[in-house]
Amino acid sequence: MIEKGSVIGIIGGGQLGRMTAEASAKLGYKTHIYCPDPDSPAFQVSDLHTIASYEDRDSLEKFADSVDVITFEFENIPFDTLKFLEEHANVRPNPKALHITQNRVREKSFVNDIGIKTADFAAVTSLSELEEGYKKIGEGKAIIKTCELGYDGKGQARIENASQIKEIWEGSDFSNAVIEKFVPFEKEVSAIVARGEDGKSLCFPVAENMHKDGILDTSKVPANISKELEEKAKEIATKMADEMDLIGLLAVEFFVTKEGELLVNEMAPRPHNSGHWSMDGCETSQFEQFVRAVCGLEFGPVGITNKVEMKNLIGFDVEKSQEFIGDKQAKLHIYGKKETRKGRKMGHINFIK
Ligand code: ADP
Ligand code: MG
């Protein structure tokens, strides 16, 4: 167990790091954020920060020596950086979990290998593999996605028919990609599970998610799905966390098919945008649960205290947030990012229903 007063090291300084730092402070921990971006929003609410690159071994070593445990808030940290840090401090979740989730082919293969379904997919590194893969998944509507560094729908292209393949290949770098069958889903849901050092786990209520242009727009809790499906989603998320021996949080995004089947879309070994509702609608927020898991504390309860619809403030939407400042049912969370940019997550509002 990490004693209160200890320092939690967080790699990455975005909004997830910021909200994790706030939850850490609430439980009596200090935080040290490591991020190359001098304008990181998490710096504003943390005790210590280091501005350095993920390859800077001297800074990484100093950082590791200054903290009691290390975690991370985003996935694109070089695997070697985490392996290096692990030599100097306890890293939770373990780097192996990050390694799996950093790459879409590894991630989907892992999921299938433990007997859980995804959309049909094929790995792509060349035009001929793209053509073959497209045939293998049965042609028709498909999506090609870069294996690494994609987020918020970036690094993706849709394929309607075979005649577009060459143009799509030439239009973007898909030399390390995955082609997957388009799923005409009924809805999208996500399950977030917390798992501790002792292997015990606890799932948050499942959220129902709506995306716009590949970016999460709203999450609703409770999700409008059957009790059986809710339990099934939690079971899958728990199994995945167990298989990775993960300590921390695992968020799993699913498609619910028209036949009522769950297909895993992707996962993240950290707090997740679709769990932000929990800050105002759950007995324990996902950020607090994350800190509890990483520090070896008992989990907080996860009962729903309010029905919530979380709405992301994307880009210049954040300017409209002022309209809600006097609204008791609208809980504002602004991330303090220096620059507003189109498509950038700037904050969210939890609307209490
Ligand atoms: P990101 O890492 O950008 O979130 P995702 O794979 O989750 O990437 O894709 C973003 C969104 O695009 C999904 O939430 C879903 O709405 C849509 N999408 C992605 N893959 C598929 C698919 N195979 N079929 C249908 N819609 C998809
Ligand atoms: Mg996604």
Side-chain angles (χ1 to χ4, degrees), residues 331-351:
K331 306 294 180 190
L332 246 60
H333 300 270
I334 305 295
Y335 303 152
K337 293 187 183 177
K338 197 171 165 197
E339 199 190 338
T340 306
R341 281 199 299 265
K342 189 173 170 277
R344 194 175 200 200
K345 288 175 178 166
M346 302 301 297
H348 68 270
I349 303 179
N350 283 332
F351 289 99

mmCIF file of all heavy atoms in Angstrom, residues 331-351:
data_model
loop_
_atom_site.group_PDB
_atom_site.id
_atom_site.type_symbol
_atom_site.label_atom_id
_atom_site.label_comp_id
_atom_site.label_asym_id
_atom_site.label_seq_id
_atom_site.Cartn_x
_atom_site.Cartn_y
_atom_site.Cartn_z
ATOM 1 N N LYS A 331 -22.911 20.304 -14.355
ATOM 2 C CA LYS A 331 -21.637 20.329 -13.621
ATOM 3 C C LYS A 331 -20.494 20.530 -14.617
ATOM 4 O O LYS A 331 -20.224 19.661 -15.449
ATOM 5 C CB LYS A 331 -21.442 19.012 -12.862
ATOM 6 C CG LYS A 331 -22.602 18.647 -11.952
ATOM 7 C CD LYS A 331 -22.742 19.637 -10.817
ATOM 8 C CE LYS A 331 -23.906 19.268 -9.922
ATOM 9 N NZ LYS A 331 -24.210 20.319 -8.953
ATOM 10 N N LEU A 332 -19.850 21.676 -14.498
ATOM 11 C CA LEU A 332 -18.813 22.065 -15.457
ATOM 12 C C LEU A 332 -17.428 21.545 -15.077
ATOM 13 O O LEU A 332 -17.030 21.629 -13.914
ATOM 14 C CB LEU A 332 -18.746 23.600 -15.457
ATOM 15 C CG LEU A 332 -19.163 24.334 -16.726
ATOM 16 C CD1 LEU A 332 -20.598 24.022 -17.066
ATOM 17 C CD2 LEU A 332 -18.967 25.827 -16.558
ATOM 18 N N HIS A 333 -16.721 21.062 -16.065
ATOM 19 C CA HIS A 333 -15.331 20.634 -15.869
ATOM 20 C C HIS A 333 -14.524 21.188 -17.038
ATOM 21 O O HIS A 333 -14.655 20.718 -18.168
ATOM 22 C CB HIS A 333 -15.234 19.103 -15.839
ATOM 23 C CG HIS A 333 -16.043 18.489 -14.740
ATOM 24 N ND1 HIS A 333 -15.533 18.245 -13.485
ATOM 25 C CD2 HIS A 333 -17.350 18.109 -14.689
ATOM 26 C CE1 HIS A 333 -16.480 17.717 -12.715
ATOM 27 N NE2 HIS A 333 -17.596 17.628 -13.422
ATOM 28 N N ILE A 334 -13.740 22.205 -16.769
ATOM 29 C CA ILE A 334 -12.950 22.845 -17.833
ATOM 30 C C ILE A 334 -11.487 22.449 -17.620
ATOM 31 O O ILE A 334 -10.994 22.473 -16.495
ATOM 32 C CB ILE A 334 -13.123 24.394 -17.768
ATOM 33 C CG1 ILE A 334 -14.613 24.772 -17.821
ATOM 34 C CG2 ILE A 334 -12.331 25.074 -18.884
ATOM 35 C CD1 ILE A 334 -15.342 24.433 -19.088
ATOM 36 N N TYR A 335 -10.813 22.081 -18.723
ATOM 37 C CA TYR A 335 -9.484 21.476 -18.583
ATOM 38 C C TYR A 335 -8.323 22.484 -18.514
ATOM 39 O O TYR A 335 -7.185 22.076 -18.288
ATOM 40 C CB TYR A 335 -9.239 20.498 -19.734
ATOM 41 C CG TYR A 335 -10.294 19.405 -19.847
ATOM 42 C CD1 TYR A 335 -10.584 18.814 -21.072
ATOM 43 C CD2 TYR A 335 -11.015 18.971 -18.723
ATOM 44 C CE1 TYR A 335 -11.546 17.812 -21.187
ATOM 45 C CE2 TYR A 335 -11.983 17.982 -18.834
ATOM 46 C CZ TYR A 335 -12.251 17.405 -20.068
ATOM 47 O OH TYR A 335 -13.203 16.424 -20.177
ATOM 48 N N GLY A 336 -8.611 23.754 -18.747
ATOM 49 C CA GLY A 336 -7.533 24.750 -18.614
ATOM 50 C C GLY A 336 -6.479 24.664 -19.709
ATOM 51 O O GLY A 336 -5.309 24.965 -19.470
ATOM 52 N N LYS A 337 -6.885 24.253 -20.916
ATOM 53 C CA LYS A 337 -5.914 24.188 -22.018
ATOM 54 C C LYS A 337 -5.665 25.594 -22.558
ATOM 55 O O LYS A 337 -6.594 26.385 -22.686
ATOM 56 C CB LYS A 337 -6.427 23.266 -23.128
ATOM 57 C CG LYS A 337 -6.490 21.818 -22.660
ATOM 58 C CD LYS A 337 -6.821 20.842 -23.763
ATOM 59 C CE LYS A 337 -6.919 19.440 -23.171
ATOM 60 N NZ LYS A 337 -7.311 18.420 -24.150
ATOM 61 N N LYS A 338 -4.412 25.870 -22.844
ATOM 62 C CA LYS A 338 -4.021 27.227 -23.226
ATOM 63 C C LYS A 338 -4.679 27.649 -24.542
ATOM 64 O O LYS A 338 -5.148 28.766 -24.678
ATOM 65 C CB LYS A 338 -2.496 27.266 -23.366
ATOM 66 C CG LYS A 338 -1.945 28.669 -23.351
ATOM 67 C CD LYS A 338 -0.435 28.644 -23.279
ATOM 68 C CE LYS A 338 0.137 29.993 -23.621
ATOM 69 N NZ LYS A 338 1.562 29.889 -23.938
ATOM 70 N N GLU A 339 -4.706 26.712 -25.480
ATOM 71 C CA GLU A 339 -5.198 27.080 -26.807
ATOM 72 C C GLU A 339 -6.437 26.259 -27.172
ATOM 73 O O GLU A 339 -6.430 25.036 -27.035
ATOM 74 C CB GLU A 339 -4.092 26.792 -27.816
ATOM 75 C CG GLU A 339 -4.253 27.501 -29.134
ATOM 76 C CD GLU A 339 -3.242 26.967 -30.159
ATOM 77 O OE1 GLU A 339 -2.207 26.400 -29.754
ATOM 78 O OE2 GLU A 339 -3.527 27.091 -31.351
ATOM 79 N N THR A 340 -7.485 26.968 -27.625
ATOM 80 C CA THR A 340 -8.676 26.260 -28.114
ATOM 81 C C THR A 340 -8.438 25.914 -29.583
ATOM 82 O O THR A 340 -8.044 26.776 -30.361
ATOM 83 C CB THR A 340 -9.916 27.174 -28.010
ATOM 84 O OG1 THR A 340 -10.000 27.639 -26.657
ATOM 85 C CG2 THR A 340 -11.192 26.430 -28.367
ATOM 86 N N ARG A 341 -8.612 24.642 -29.911
ATOM 87 C CA ARG A 341 -8.447 24.224 -31.315
ATOM 88 C C ARG A 341 -9.620 23.357 -31.716
ATOM 89 O O ARG A 341 -10.164 22.618 -30.890
ATOM 90 C CB ARG A 341 -7.154 23.404 -31.479
ATOM 91 C CG ARG A 341 -5.900 24.244 -31.535
ATOM 92 C CD ARG A 341 -4.749 23.461 -32.163
ATOM 93 N NE ARG A 341 -4.381 22.271 -31.430
ATOM 94 C CZ ARG A 341 -3.400 22.189 -30.524
ATOM 95 N NH1 ARG A 341 -2.690 23.270 -30.247
ATOM 96 N NH2 ARG A 341 -3.118 21.055 -29.919
ATOM 97 N N LYS A 342 -9.993 23.454 -32.987
ATOM 98 C CA LYS A 342 -11.075 22.628 -33.538
ATOM 99 C C LYS A 342 -10.770 21.154 -33.258
ATOM 100 O O LYS A 342 -9.647 20.711 -33.451
ATOM 101 C CB LYS A 342 -11.154 22.879 -35.042
ATOM 102 C CG LYS A 342 -12.350 22.266 -35.719
ATOM 103 C CD LYS A 342 -12.432 22.706 -37.184
ATOM 104 C CE LYS A 342 -13.483 21.906 -37.922
ATOM 105 N NZ LYS A 342 -13.023 20.614 -38.409
ATOM 106 N N GLY A 343 -11.761 20.416 -32.747
ATOM 107 C CA GLY A 343 -11.578 18.985 -32.528
ATOM 108 C C GLY A 343 -10.858 18.645 -31.229
ATOM 109 O O GLY A 343 -10.706 17.480 -30.897
ATOM 110 N N ARG A 344 -10.407 19.657 -30.493
ATOM 111 C CA ARG A 344 -9.675 19.402 -29.246
ATOM 112 C C ARG A 344 -10.649 19.311 -28.075
ATOM 113 O O ARG A 344 -11.571 20.125 -27.952
ATOM 114 C CB ARG A 344 -8.701 20.559 -29.009
ATOM 115 C CG ARG A 344 -7.669 20.283 -27.957
ATOM 116 C CD ARG A 344 -6.669 21.425 -27.856
ATOM 117 N NE ARG A 344 -5.446 20.948 -27.212
ATOM 118 C CZ ARG A 344 -4.550 21.729 -26.641
ATOM 119 N NH1 ARG A 344 -4.709 23.042 -26.644
ATOM 120 N NH2 ARG A 344 -3.478 21.217 -26.082
ATOM 121 N N LYS A 345 -10.419 18.334 -27.182
ATOM 122 C CA LYS A 345 -11.278 18.217 -26.002
ATOM 123 C C LYS A 345 -10.886 19.294 -24.991
ATOM 124 O O LYS A 345 -9.770 19.284 -24.475
ATOM 125 C CB LYS A 345 -11.142 16.819 -25.390
ATOM 126 C CG LYS A 345 -11.815 15.739 -26.243
ATOM 127 C CD LYS A 345 -11.582 14.347 -25.707
ATOM 128 C CE LYS A 345 -12.304 13.304 -26.554
ATOM 129 N NZ LYS A 345 -11.841 11.935 -26.265
ATOM 130 N N MET A 346 -11.830 20.234 -24.730
ATOM 131 C CA MET A 346 -11.525 21.394 -23.893
ATOM 132 C C MET A 346 -12.157 21.293 -22.501
ATOM 133 O O MET A 346 -11.782 22.016 -21.586
ATOM 134 C CB MET A 346 -12.042 22.678 -24.570
ATOM 135 C CG MET A 346 -11.481 22.938 -25.962
ATOM 136 S SD MET A 346 -9.678 23.070 -26.005
ATOM 137 C CE MET A 346 -9.424 24.514 -24.984
ATOM 138 N N GLY A 347 -13.159 20.436 -22.383
ATOM 139 C CA GLY A 347 -13.840 20.302 -21.099
ATOM 140 C C GLY A 347 -15.043 19.392 -21.288
ATOM 141 O O GLY A 347 -15.229 18.808 -22.374
ATOM 142 N N HIS A 348 -15.829 19.222 -20.230
ATOM 143 C CA HIS A 348 -17.090 18.492 -20.383
ATOM 144 C C HIS A 348 -18.084 19.010 -19.362
ATOM 145 O O HIS A 348 -17.699 19.656 -18.377
ATOM 146 C CB HIS A 348 -16.886 16.971 -20.238
ATOM 147 C CG HIS A 348 -16.499 16.492 -18.879
ATOM 148 N ND1 HIS A 348 -15.194 16.375 -18.454
ATOM 149 C CD2 HIS A 348 -17.262 16.112 -17.816
ATOM 150 C CE1 HIS A 348 -15.166 15.935 -17.207
ATOM 151 N NE2 HIS A 348 -16.404 15.768 -16.793
ATOM 152 N N ILE A 349 -19.357 18.760 -19.634
ATOM 153 C CA ILE A 349 -20.406 19.103 -18.669
ATOM 154 C C ILE A 349 -21.163 17.830 -18.336
ATOM 155 O O ILE A 349 -21.565 17.083 -19.231
ATOM 156 C CB ILE A 349 -21.411 20.135 -19.249
ATOM 157 C CG1 ILE A 349 -20.677 21.410 -19.703
ATOM 158 C CG2 ILE A 349 -22.476 20.477 -18.199
ATOM 159 C CD1 ILE A 349 -21.605 22.475 -20.302
ATOM 160 N N ASN A 350 -21.331 17.561 -17.060
ATOM 161 C CA ASN A 350 -22.191 16.457 -16.636
ATOM 162 C C ASN A 350 -23.572 17.029 -16.332
ATOM 163 O O ASN A 350 -23.730 17.793 -15.374
ATOM 164 C CB ASN A 350 -21.616 15.770 -15.393
ATOM 165 C CG ASN A 350 -20.454 14.856 -15.730
ATOM 166 O OD1 ASN A 350 -20.375 14.319 -16.841
ATOM 167 N ND2 ASN A 350 -19.539 14.664 -14.788
ATOM 168 N N PHE A 351 -24.532 16.694 -17.185
ATOM 169 C CA PHE A 351 -25.913 17.142 -16.963
ATOM 170 C C PHE A 351 -26.631 16.118 -16.092
ATOM 171 O O PHE A 351 -26.731 14.951 -16.457
ATOM 172 C CB PHE A 351 -26.642 17.298 -18.307
ATOM 173 C CG PHE A 351 -26.159 18.468 -19.121
ATOM 174 C CD1 PHE A 351 -25.254 18.275 -20.162
ATOM 175 C CD2 PHE A 351 -26.587 19.763 -18.835
ATOM 176 C CE1 PHE A 351 -24.784 19.357 -20.913
ATOM 177 C CE2 PHE A 351 -26.116 20.841 -19.578
ATOM 178 C CZ PHE A 351 -25.222 20.639 -20.612
#
